């Protein structure tokens, strides 16, 4: 089960260095978060697992890393300038600002709220007697379209022609490079391009920790297929992504699939399903799968004048615009899900409670901790020797801790999810009464708490992944 309260996770994240509030020494900047020393390791591992699974281990995939800043014509062609809007209303009494469609959604169903035109939003709020959540009055302004893209200026001269946007999705970087990829890699359909990177949206109601922020990271795939093969590809990706989340330790009961209603679909999609996770505040979108058809490539062909078609390498007369199935993962939401899923409080036999993060070992920020039993100089020296051996002989992330009792140090490692702790003791030095313990260590398992004695050479072999 996920942590019962988000507060517990936020507090552990801050205390142990997973996630800090952004710009904290200046009083913060609302809804910005910084990944700390452990958070960055966890996030990098999520990205590494994703890249390995979806780019390296598939013959039909390649990677890309496109620029965040793109020619503004991209966003006109993609439909984001005209369609990526929320209807905003202000309360004339308290001056607070809200998304009119969201206020209406609570009263009407999602479908009914989604079909309203911008000039119907305010009259509908009044007709339904929907008060301001801030002050309780019904004093709404006309709804205004608010584009979610962040605008900035390029170059030193402010003014006309220099306005550009921070990308609101990584996807367009892939579409505009379609020809480059085709011409250099010469892939056969079906094939996909994967990309991990930042995206920016001026969200009206960010919140719930890293769930909805204005700056976030996406892990996206644009998968190109022959028209007519999109439906099967859609089903295949739905299953593949579902299985990926389960394989990394997400509990099945905390995941569900939600099909978008026709009225709810984004401007580019003919079908969308979300994989939702049961967050502490309720179900929320973790991943979205969209059938974008030939929308983007056709739009870019029209707007840029470049031919965006694909020619069959076996039959040059067969030329067409591929259709696109898009698996889109929120990286920060995925990290948040793994954090929530890992958080465990366990009652021990002695009545104490231990907090542990039960990360899949592939995701744990630290693989092993090396702990000399005490601060005695020769124990520490031996443990340091072992530390060097492990970091040089493996690609593991290794922690070294001498501070506090061994019990306290175990607890600290449990709390950050370190799967294995290695203790160097007097047996290791050959100073213990027991025979044959020289150059052996104990290795302790985070989940079972079992300890095993191993020879150092065996240890290195057992740690190599
Ligand atoms: N290219 C398609 C696309 O961008 P989306 O459903 O708008 O689709 C995809 O976004 C994923 O990105 C979402 O499922 C979510 O995980 C993540 N995401 C979107 N907006 C976000 C935000 N404001 N904060 C954090 N993650 C966000």
């Amino acid at each position: 089960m996920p942590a019962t309260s988000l507060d517990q996770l936020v507090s552990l994240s801050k205390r142990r260095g997973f996630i800090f509030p952004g710009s904290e020494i200046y009083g913060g900047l609302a809804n910005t978060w910084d990944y700390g020393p452990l958070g960055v390791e966890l996030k990098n591992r999520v990205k590494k697992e994703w890249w390995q699974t979806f780019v390296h281990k598939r013959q039909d995939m390649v990677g890309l890393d496109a620029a965040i800043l793109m020619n503004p014509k991209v966003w006109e062609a993609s439909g984001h300038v005209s369609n990526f809007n929320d209807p905003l209303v202000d309360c004339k009494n308290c001056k607070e600002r809200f998304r009119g469609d969201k206020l209406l959604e609570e009263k009407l169903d999602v479908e009914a709220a989604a079909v309203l035109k911008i000039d119907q939003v305010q009259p509908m709020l009044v007709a339904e007697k929907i008060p301001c959540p801030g002050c309780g009055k019904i004093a709404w302004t006309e709804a205004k379209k608010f584009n979610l893209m962040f605008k900035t200026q390029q170059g030193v001269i402010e003014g006309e022609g220099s306005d550009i946007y921070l990308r609101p999705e990584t996807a367009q970087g892939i579409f505009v490079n379609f020809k480059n990829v085709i011409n250099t890699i010469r892939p056969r359909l079906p094939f996909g391009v994967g990309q991990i990177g930042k995206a920016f949206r001026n969200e009206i109601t960010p919140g719930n920790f890293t769930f909805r922020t204005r700056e976030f990271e996406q892990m996206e795939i644009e998968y190109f297929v022959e028209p007519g093969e999109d439906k099967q590809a859609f089903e295949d990706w739905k299953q593949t992504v579902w299985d990926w989340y389960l394989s990394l330790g997400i509990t099945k009961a905390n995941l569900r699939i939600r099909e978008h209603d026709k009225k709810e679909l984004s401007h580019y999609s003919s079908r969308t399903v979300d994989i939702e996770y049961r967050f502490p505040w309720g179900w929320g979108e973790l991943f979205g799968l969209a059938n974008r058809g030939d929308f983007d490539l056709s739009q870019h062909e029209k707007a840029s004048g470049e031919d965006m078609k694909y020619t069959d390498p076996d039959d040059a007369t067969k030329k067409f615009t591929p259709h696109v199935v898009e698996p889109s993962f929120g990286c920060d939401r995925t990290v948040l899900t793994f954090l929530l899923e890992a958080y465990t409080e366990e009652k021990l036999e002695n009545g104490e409670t231990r907090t542990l993060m039960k990360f899949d070992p592939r995701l744990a920020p630290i693989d092993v901790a090396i702990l000399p039993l005490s601060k005695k100089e020769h124990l520490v020296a031996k443990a340091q020797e072992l530390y060097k051996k492990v970091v040089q002989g493996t690609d593991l992330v290794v922690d070294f801790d001498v501070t506090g009792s061994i019990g306290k140090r175990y607890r600290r490692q449990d709390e950050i999810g370190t799967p294995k702790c290695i203790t160097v003791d007097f047996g290791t030095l050959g100073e213990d009464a027991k025979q044959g313990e020289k150059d052996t260590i104990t290795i302790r398992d985070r989940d079972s708490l079992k300890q095993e004695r191993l020879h150092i050479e065996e240890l290195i072999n057992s740690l190599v992944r």
Side-chain angles (χ1 to χ4, degrees):
M1 283 297 285
T4 44
S5 105
L6 189 62
D7 290 347
Q8 284 170 307
L9 184 71
V10 174
S11 139
L12 180 133
S13 294
K14 169 91 201 290
R15 190 171 72 245
R16 299 308 314 271
F18 283 97
I19 300 175
F20 304 128
S23 315
E24 205 182 4
I25 61 166
Y26 288 100
L29 174 68
N31 300 293
T32 61
W33 300 97
D34 297 339
Y35 288 85
L38 296 180
V40 66
E41 298 294 342
L42 172 64
K43 196 177 191 192
N44 280 344
R45 288 203 156 174
V46 168
K47 291 193 256 187
K48 186 172 154 215
E49 280 301 319
W50 188 92
W51 197 266
Q52 274 187 350
T53 307
F54 298 117
V55 180
H56 283 169
K57 294 192 177 174
R58 293 182 62 126
Q59 289 185 7
D60 58 349
M61 289 283 305
V62 291
L64 188 81
D65 183 13
I68 289 174
L69 303 176
M70 302 178 81
N71 189 312
K73 288 181 187 153
V74 169
W75 307 111
E76 282 164 28
S78 70
H80 283 82
V81 171
S82 45
N83 293 317
F84 202 51
N85 299 304
D86 283 340
L88 279 195
V89 287
D90 292 325
C91 171
K92 289 185 213 161
N93 183 51
C94 71
K95 314 286 181 228
E96 263 205 78
R97 179 165 281 190
F98 299 91
R99 271 181 66 174
D101 56 335
K102 289 280 161 207
L103 292 174
L104 283 165
E105 258 176 40
E106 284 161 25
K107 199 90 181 198
L108 314 169
D109 56 33
V110 174
E111 193 183 328
V115 291
L116 287 176
K117 300 237 158 31
I118 186 88
D119 54 2
Q120 295 173 309
V121 172
Q122 186 243 25
M124 201 65 184
L125 283 169
V126 176
E128 295 288 330
K129 296 197 171 59
I130 296 176
C132 167
C135 70
K137 293 260 165 20
I138 303 177
W140 299 113
T141 59
E142 289 280 322
K144 282 189 294 267
K145 273 191 186 173
F146 177 77
N147 195 286
L148 294 183
M149 284 194 293
F150 271 100
K151 233 186 214 174
T152 185
Q153 277 106 35
Q154 168 146 294
V156 287
I157 305 160
E158 263 189 47
E160 202 125 318
S162 57
D163 274 356
I164 54 169
Y165 301 101
L166 302 184
R167 66 181 177 198
E169 59 170 12
T170 60
Q172 296 303 325
I174 298 178
F175 293 126
V176 303
N177 278 294
F178 178 69
K179 275 275 127 160
N180 284 332
V181 174
I182 292 277
N183 292 338
T184 50
I185 306 292
R186 306 214 166 271
R188 279 165 192 272
L189 290 188
F191 81 94
V193 182
Q195 174 168 227
I196 300 177
K198 293 263 180 166
F200 301 82
R201 296 181 191 175
N202 206 353
E203 300 278 4
I204 326 289
T205 45
N208 283 332
F209 201 23
T210 57
F211 178 79
R212 183 171 287 108
T213 48
R214 297 191 172 107
E215 170 184 348
F216 56 97
E217 212 157 350
Q218 292 185 314
M219 308 186 286
E220 294 202 297
I221 295 166
E222 305 305 323
Y223 197 73
F224 301 94
V225 300
E226 266 195 48
E229 290 186 1
D230 45 325
K231 290 193 173 62
Q232 187 56 48
F234 193 96
E235 293 306 324
D236 293 347
W237 275 109
K238 192 167 77 176
Q239 190 62 45
T240 301
V241 174
W242 178 267
D243 292 344
W244 184 73
Y245 277 114
L246 293 186
S247 76
L248 286 170
I250 304 296
T251 314
K252 209 171 175 177
N254 291 334
L255 284 183
R256 73 176 188 193
I257 288 196
R258 189 178 76 82
E259 180 93 33
H260 279 217
D261 191 275
K262 283 269 172 291
K263 309 273 174 18
E264 206 191 328
L265 294 171
S266 312
H267 61 276
Y268 51 72
S269 178
S270 64
R271 184 184 175 200
T272 298
V273 296
D274 291 343
I275 295 182
E276 295 189 331
Y277 180 73
R278 186 146 47 132
F279 289 97
W281 59 88
W283 292 96
E285 176 184 346
L286 172 61
F287 159 88
L289 179 64
N291 187 340
R292 294 179 84 126
D294 63 357
F295 177 83
D296 301 271
L297 291 179
S298 300
Q299 286 292 106
H300 288 307
E301 182 168 290
K302 267 187 250 157
S304 70
E306 287 285 331
D307 177 4
M308 301 295 263
K309 294 190 182 63
Y310 170 87
T311 308
D312 189 327
D314 300 323
D315 177 1
T317 60
K318 212 170 147 195
K319 207 175 166 195
F320 57 89
T321 309
H323 280 215
V324 176
V325 172
E326 179 194 61
S328 177
F329 303 65
C331 181
D332 306 86
R333 283 187 194 178
T334 300
V335 170
L336 177 59
T337 304
F338 286 130
L339 281 165
L340 285 163
E341 197 71 27
Y343 189 97
T344 311
E345 284 181 2
E346 203 177 78
K347 267 256 174 294
L348 297 173
E349 277 172 15
N350 65 6
E352 278 177 29
T353 304
R354 79 167 175 144
T355 304
L356 70 158
M357 295 299 278
K358 279 193 174 174
F359 294 121
D360 181 288
R362 288 167 291 179
L363 299 178
I366 290 169
D367 295 293
V368 287
I370 296 184
L371 315 170
L373 184 66
S374 79
K375 274 189 176 159
K376 290 239 160 56
E377 224 172 87
H378 55 321
L379 263 180
V380 175
K382 183 78 183 171
Q384 281 287 8
E385 210 180 279
L386 179 63
Y387 173 86
K388 281 202 194 102
K389 224 177 174 145
V390 177
V391 290
Q392 281 160 11
T394 69
D395 60 356
L396 302 177
V397 181
V398 189
D399 194 11
F400 189 90
D401 188 7
V402 283
T403 315
S405 74
I406 190 75
K408 279 215 176 91
R409 281 180 278 158
Y410 284 149
R411 293 286 174 276
R412 281 208 295 267
Q413 295 297 334
D414 290 343
E415 211 188 28
I416 60 172
T418 308
K420 301 282 180 199
C421 284
I422 295 164
T423 308
V424 172
D425 58 17
F426 294 102
T428 319
L429 297 171
E431 290 178 6
D432 203 70
K434 282 188 210 141
Q435 297 289 310
E437 288 196 342
K438 191 164 175 351
D439 288 327
T440 64
I441 47 76
T442 57
I443 181 160
R444 169 190 179 270
D445 183 77
R446 176 196 70 198
D447 300 341
S448 69
L449 296 174
K450 287 218 174 75
Q451 301 203 17
E452 202 189 339
R453 243 194 138 85
L454 282 184
H455 195 273
I456 286 178
E457 293 311 321
E458 275 179 283
L459 169 76
I460 302 286
N461 289 334
S462 77
L463 291 177
V464 174
R465 285 194 289 191

